[in-house]
Structures are given as structure tokens and as C-alpha cells.
């Protein structure tokens, strides 16, 4: 799956977003190293912290299906420039690898590709936790 294909899946996922409060719909498409793609959309809640972003929705779907190795994620929103993941989503993506391509796009066709390590330099990962605390089992 190339980046253009991921963008199209993310764009379609965006249409299913539940965003009655912000009206800011976002879609994501996460490519696992297995070749499977997991789509996600933002799901808001009247209690704002209970909502979830499109990127984390896609990660949760993939992990619940047994995936934990990813190569790329596309994110699409109706933004002026390419739609970037929020800080929490950057941290969640870093948990699964700082070498994941992040394909940021908008509805106008603007695209920018970076890696998680570019969006969150110095990310906190399992390597930062002491082995006695159960950390250090994942590469960041």
C-alpha cells in the first residue's frame, strides 16, 4: 500500500467521524508491517477527555487484532496545511516505533511526510523505563 492509497482510506474514514461538538472530522489509516490497513476516525464525547482521535482509534483497532508493528499512518483533516497528529497521538505512535512514516494530508491535496521521530524528538519510550519497572521491552 502506497501513501496515496493510505490517504484515500483515511479520507473515507474521516467521513465516519463522530464530531458533533468541534465539527472537526479527522480520518486515519494505519499500515501494519503485515500489510493490513486499519482505519480510524475521531469520536468525540460530551465529556471531552472521553473522546479519541482518529490516529489512536486506528492504533487501538490494530492492536486489538494482534498487530504491534507499523510502517506508516496517514492522517486527513480539513485543515489549511497538512493535518498533523496531536501530541498524545504522537506519543502513542512513538510507543510502536519512531521510524513510522506519518503521512499528513488535507482535503485540498496538500501532503507532507515525516517520521514519528521528527514530530516527537526525544519521545518517552519503554527504553526510558528501568527494566525492574517492566520497561525497556520495546524499541523506540
Amino acid at each position: 500500500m502506497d501513501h496515496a492509497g493510505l490517504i484515500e482510506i483515511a479520507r473515507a474514514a474521516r467521513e465516519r467521524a463522530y464530531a458533533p461538538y468541534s465539527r472537526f472530522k479527522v480520518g486515519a489509516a494505519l499500515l501494519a508491517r503485515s500489510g493490513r490497513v486499519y482505519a480510524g476516525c475521531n469520536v468525540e464525547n460530551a465529556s471531552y477527555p472521553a473522546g479519541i482521535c482518529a490516529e489512536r482509534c486506528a492504533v487501538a483497532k490494530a492492536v486489538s487484532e494482534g498487530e504491534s508493528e507499523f510502517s506508516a499512518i496517514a492522517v486527513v483533516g480539513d485543515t489549511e496545511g497538512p493535518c498533523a497528529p496531536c501530541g498524545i497521538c504522537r506519543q502513542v505512535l512513538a510507543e510502536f516505533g519512531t521510524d513510522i512514516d506519518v503521512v499528513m494530508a488535507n482535503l485540498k491535496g496538500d501532503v507532507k511526510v515525516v517520521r514519528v521521530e521528527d514530530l516527537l524528538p526525544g519521545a518517552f519510550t519503554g527504553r526510558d523505563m528501568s527494566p525492574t519497572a517492566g520497561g525497556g521491552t520495546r524499541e523506540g
Side-chain angles (χ1 to χ4, degrees):
M1 171 77 57
D2 63 10
H3 290 167
L6 284 177
I7 290 170
E8 286 310 309
I9 292 170
R11 182 184 287 259
R14 180 186 169 278
E15 295 301 316
R16 295 186 294 274
Y18 180 75
Y21 305 105
S22 72
R23 307 221 184 279
F24 182 67
K25 295 182 174 184
V26 180
L30 178 64
L31 176 61
R33 295 211 186 271
S34 68
R36 292 185 64 188
V37 177
Y38 299 88
C41 62
N42 56 324
V43 180
E44 293 182 349
N45 190 285
S47 175
Y48 270 49
I52 188 168
C53 297
E55 300 91 323
R56 286 183 286 137
C57 177
V59 168
K61 286 174 65 176
V63 171
S64 72
E65 296 294 323
E67 303 275 6
S68 62
E69 296 181 5
F70 308 110
S71 58
I73 186 167
V75 183
V76 176
D78 187 11
T79 50
E80 184 62 30
C83 187
C86 75
I88 294 171
C89 290
R90 294 175 190 201
Q91 180 63 45
V92 168
L93 290 170
E95 175 68 20
F96 297 97
T98 55
D99 62 340
I100 298 170
D101 285 342
V102 180
V103 183
M104 303 179 293
N106 63 15
L107 298 181
K108 297 185 296 186
D110 297 325
V111 177
K112 183 176 182 180
V113 181
V114 297
R115 292 202 164 191
V116 169
E117 63 194 355
D118 299 320
L119 293 174
L120 190 63
F124 182 82
T125 67
R127 289 185 313 213
D128 298 310
M129 299 175 70
S130 79
T132 57
T137 57
R138 290 204 49 87
E139 294 296 318

